[in-house]
Amino acid sequence: MKIQLDEFDLKLLDAIQRSNRLTAEALSQKVCLSPSAVQRRLRRLREGKIIESEVAIVSPEAVGRTLTAIVEVTLDTDRPQVLQRFQRAICAAPEVMQGYYVTGNADFILVVTAKTMQDYEAFVHRFFSKHLRAKYFRTTIVMRKVKTGFAVPVGGASRIASAARNRTAA
């Protein structure tokens, strides 16, 4: 069953994407609902898989993983079992932070982290020697992060904030 999201849900989603450590009391002030209503809505959003996960995002640099690479991979076939096997390999590789099955020139785009260029090279040899169906791969090394994040823009959040300000001003 698909969950219908109202403007309160959208405002709540916007707030917890910015910080999921806010208390129900703090969230209630941001979305103009009672703390118990906030808790009920959060439970519904979690159970409905609207909120997929709540995690801490660790800085790769803080743990010595200073190299980030964007890797385009083209497989030598598009047979479903080969695609599934490659997707499982992506999921099993801890160096792969993100993996996308895409359209265009490549079949997959991977975001890979490593400690050094030698560490990345060892990953490439280990990963691709196991997955011989990779016909081609191209690596782009990230020189500087300009923007990273996982927050999804949720429409309506600014409208409810504006409405709440208008109610309190009246």
Side-chain angles (χ1 to χ4, degrees):
M1 178 177 171
K2 187 174 178 178
I3 294 177
Q4 283 294 102
L5 300 176
D6 64 17
E7 289 198 36
F8 291 106
D9 292 325
L10 296 174
K11 180 71 174 169
L12 190 56
L13 289 169
D14 186 56
I16 65 168
Q17 284 188 105
R18 296 178 193 286
S19 175
N20 72 348
R21 296 185 65 177
L22 294 172
T23 64
E25 182 67 37
L27 286 168
S28 73
Q29 293 173 8
K30 288 185 175 292
V31 300
C32 301
L33 291 171
S34 71
S36 59
V38 164
Q39 290 173 331
R40 281 191 304 274
R41 284 174 180 265
L42 285 173
R43 186 178 324 108
R44 180 176 58 88
L45 293 168
R46 288 176 181 122
E47 289 170 356
K49 303 294 185 210
I50 303 299
I51 298 173
E52 291 182 358
S53 181
E54 296 174 68
V55 299
I57 299 172
V58 175
S59 164
E61 294 84 6
V63 294
R65 302 192 73 81
T66 58
L67 187 134
T68 301
I70 311 299
V71 184
E72 297 176 44
V73 180
T74 303
L75 301 179
D76 69 354
T77 180
D78 61 354
R79 292 193 340 243
Q81 61 270 37
V82 172
L83 293 172
Q84 290 170 357
R85 181 173 169 227
F86 194 79
Q87 289 176 69
R88 284 193 302 274
I90 290 170
C91 293
E95 299 90 346
V96 179
M97 295 176 61
Q98 297 175 44
Y100 302 96
Y101 180 47
V102 297
T103 63
N105 294 332
D107 294 317
F108 291 90
I109 302 289
L110 311 178
V111 178
V112 177
T113 183
K115 292 181 179 182
T116 63
M117 186 57 83
Q118 292 78 15
D119 187 37
Y120 174 71
E121 185 178 10
F123 161 76
V124 166
H125 289 301
R126 187 175 60 252
F127 187 79
F128 288 108
S129 70
K130 290 180 184 175
H131 310 291
L132 301 176
R133 304 315 296 243
K135 175 173 76 173
Y136 170 81
F137 76 95
R138 181 169 82 185
T139 300
T140 302
I141 301 299
V142 174
M143 295 187 338
R144 179 184 312 122
K145 291 180 187 175
V146 176
K147 179 181 180 181
T148 60
F150 292 96
V152 176
V154 291
S158 60
R159 288 193 311 268
I160 195 166
S162 171
R165 281 193 299 275
N166 290 341
R167 276 194 302 246
T168 57

